[in-house]
Amino acid sequence: MISILNLHKLVNSSLNSISTISKTRIIRKLSSLHGNLTGIREELRKLGHGSVTFDPKYSRGIGLLTLQNPERHNALSGKMMAELSDIVDKLENVVKFNTNDNLNSVNNENKLNNVNELDKENNLIGIIVTGSRNTFCSGLDLSVAKDHILTPENGKKMSLLMQDTLFRFGQLPLISVAAVEGHALGGGAELVTACDFRCISETSKIRFVQVKMSVIPGWGGGKRLIDIVGGVNALKIMGTSDPITTQNGLELGFVDVIAPHGECVNRAREFLNRYVYFSERDERKGGNGNDDNTNENRINSVKVVRGLKLLISRTKNNEEYKNFLLYEHELFCSLWGQKENVDAVLNTRK
Ligand SMILES: CC[C@H](C(=O)O)C(=O)SCCNC(=O)CCNC(=O)[C@H](O)C(C)(C)COP(=O)(O)OP(=O)(O)OC[C@H]1O[C@@H](n2cnc3c(N)ncnc32)[C@H](O)[C@@H]1OP(=O)(O)O
């Protein structure tokens, strides 16, 4: 027999859990672009090889996300697209703790302990995105595309998931830096635009080759490129496929740091340390990658740094911005799977 008191507790907890679930759904709805894409993610997960790894403790306050498909210049297979989306999901949970975004803090009492233990340990404020074996990403894995993603319907699914994943990545209260060695081509170039900052080296070649594939960007990179370099420069870069390198990257406002070959990740860490540590003195003591967590190394308020990023990403979480991405998606879908595009994919020697 349940006592009145226990019944009251039972009702309260179930109301809380319902409201928490709906709050989670509200957070997911607000932070996602195309809604629930679970089915598409699981379909794509079955396609191709490679992996996407995330080291949340790469350096104090900084995580390292690495594209791992070296035999294919880190081209993104369906499996890797799904794993990238999984990592964004996890980060959306991790950074609920110690973030002053109201919707998130509302969810704090429901935080997943093991995930937030991670955050408490490293208090992430930054994330570096890079590719394995000194090259970044040569875009969509064309061997997967040839076998599985040639139809308009499957191109639409790929575009929906990648636009949504990179939009949500941009909404994370984490300062992101793309550490680009070697090639970043097509979708790889779009991945680069999804980061707040870019570090390249003498070997880096960032090329929007979509026009050679008889399409426009399908992962949201067109809008992001326009926001970074302006409409006219974006038209030149996308229309000619001219590479962005150390020669023109700074002038275009596309590149923030130039590193010696093989040093992009290190320089990206040094760049982010300025957001982690209270002063250069603290950074010198703690920014060597082997952080000694002595009290001397004062770090900036995680809540404040994350709040600053939330401020910036809010400018990209409005109906106008989302409608622009939807327009880009629809334009891409009108081109992907048409004869010119299919011929280009089949004839690109890969
Ligand atoms: C939304 C889709 C988006 C779009 O529409 O634009 C895309 O991203 S479509 C893909 C755009 N990317 C490309 O067209 C890049 C194609 N690859 C290359 O241009 C070259 O491979 C390059 C410059 C990355 C490297 O050239 P290099 O001469 O150094 O090496 P190989 O060409 O011999 O390549 C080595 C090895 O990697 C495989 N590879 C490279 N890129 C891809 C890819 N995107 N998909 C699948 N596989 C790729 C290549 O086939 C070689 O493997 P092997 O088994 O030896 O043939």
Side-chain angles (χ1 to χ4, degrees):
M1 180 69 167
I2 292 182
S3 71
I4 298 293
L5 180 63
N6 285 341
L7 184 62
H8 175 72
K9 280 180 184 170
L10 187 66
V11 168
N12 249 349
S13 67
S14 55
L15 278 176
N16 275 339
S17 62
I18 292 168
S19 59
T20 305
I21 290 168
S22 61
K23 283 175 203 162
T24 308
R25 285 219 178 98
I26 292 170
I27 289 169
R28 179 56 45 82
K29 192 173 175 321
L30 276 184
S31 70
S32 88
L33 184 65
H34 296 306
N36 184 341
L37 299 175
T38 308
I40 288 176
R41 190 190 303 192
E42 293 318 310
E43 260 186 71
L44 284 167
R45 193 184 302 276
K46 298 170 189 153
L47 306 180
H49 307 287
S51 64
V52 182
T53 58
F54 179 64
D55 174 3
K57 299 184 183 175
Y58 167 68
S59 181
R60 185 171 187 172
I62 301 170
L64 179 64
L65 188 149
T66 308
L67 308 175
Q68 313 261 16
N69 194 7
E71 290 71 32
R72 299 191 184 287
H73 277 261
N74 300 322
L76 231 59
S77 63
K79 176 175 178 288
M80 293 166 75
M81 291 177 194
E83 291 180 3
L84 181 60
S85 199
D86 297 343
I87 290 170
V88 173
D89 284 357
K90 181 172 177 179
L91 285 171
E92 281 178 341
N93 282 316
V94 166
V95 293
K96 278 192 186 62
F97 180 75
N98 219 349
T99 298
N100 51 8
D101 177 334
N102 295 334
L103 273 176
N104 280 319
S105 56
V106 146
N107 207 28
N108 258 348
E109 70 277 6
N110 188 38
K111 54 185 181 289
L112 306 173
N113 289 329
N114 60 325
V115 177
N116 283 285
E117 282 316 310
L118 202 64
D119 189 37
K120 278 183 197 163
E121 269 172 53
N122 199 17
N123 276 320
L124 289 175
I125 63 104
I127 181 168
I128 299 170
V129 179
T130 195
S132 63
R133 284 201 214 153
N134 273 338
T135 195
F136 189 76
C137 172
S138 65
L140 171 63
D141 184 331
L142 291 170
S143 59
V144 168
K146 287 171 186 171
D147 296 339
H148 305 285
I149 309 180
L150 270 187
T151 63
E153 184 52 31
N154 288 342
K156 177 180 179 177
K157 290 177 182 175
M158 168 192 66
S159 173
L160 282 171
L161 183 67
M162 284 305 293
Q163 267 209 351
D164 190 80
T165 299
L166 295 182
F167 173 79
R168 293 190 297 122
F169 176 81
Q171 290 297 307
L172 293 169
L174 299 177
I175 301 171
S176 55
V177 181
V180 185
E181 304 276 1
H183 295 283
L185 306 175
E190 297 191 62
L191 274 175
V192 173
T193 64
C195 292
D196 299 309
F197 300 103
R198 281 153 288 280
C199 174
I200 72 172
S201 75
E202 295 93 342
T203 64
S204 308
K205 271 192 180 164
I206 301 165
R207 291 185 63 206
F208 283 77
V209 295
Q210 283 82 345
V211 70
K212 309 296 183 203
M213 312 299 284
S214 295
V215 283
I216 68 156
W219 299 356
K223 168 57 177 166
R224 292 191 296 268
L225 180 66
I226 292 166
D227 288 349
I228 295 168
V229 301
V232 173
N233 282 329
L235 182 58
K236 273 188 226 165
I237 291 163
M238 290 191 280
T240 65
S241 286
D242 283 350
I244 300 173
T245 65
T246 52
Q247 307 303 318
N248 60 359
L250 287 172
E251 181 192 330
L252 280 166
F254 188 84
V255 169
D256 304 278
V257 182
I258 290 180
H261 175 53
E263 281 298 304
C264 281
V265 171
N266 271 336
R267 292 299 172 89
R269 179 174 53 77
E270 289 169 12
F271 179 89
L272 282 172
N273 274 341
R274 301 196 47 223
Y275 297 83
V276 175
Y277 290 95
F278 186 81
S279 73
E280 285 189 26
R281 183 173 167 279
D282 299 284
E283 184 182 333
R284 274 197 306 278
K285 279 182 169 299
N288 55 12
N290 313 310
D291 290 347
D292 50 342
N293 285 320
T294 57
N295 295 332
E296 287 174 81
N297 302 325
R298 289 168 301 163
I299 62 169
N300 283 326
S301 156
V302 174
K303 196 171 220 171
V304 169
V305 179
R306 286 182 181 174
L308 289 171
K309 173 58 194 286
L310 280 175
L311 208 57
I312 304 304
S313 49
R314 258 312 180 269
T315 62
K316 299 172 184 172
N317 194 346
N318 55 56
E319 282 318 300
E320 185 192 354
Y321 189 89
K322 289 183 174 183
N323 287 337
F324 196 112
L325 285 176
L326 193 56
Y327 175 73
E328 186 173 324
H329 165 71
E330 286 165 355
L331 203 50
F332 169 83
C333 291
S334 72
L335 298 164
W336 186 272
Q338 302 308 308
K339 182 180 182 321
E340 288 173 318
N341 168 246
V342 172
D343 291 348
V345 171
L346 293 177
N347 297 325
T348 300
R349 188 183 62 82
K350 288 308 137 217

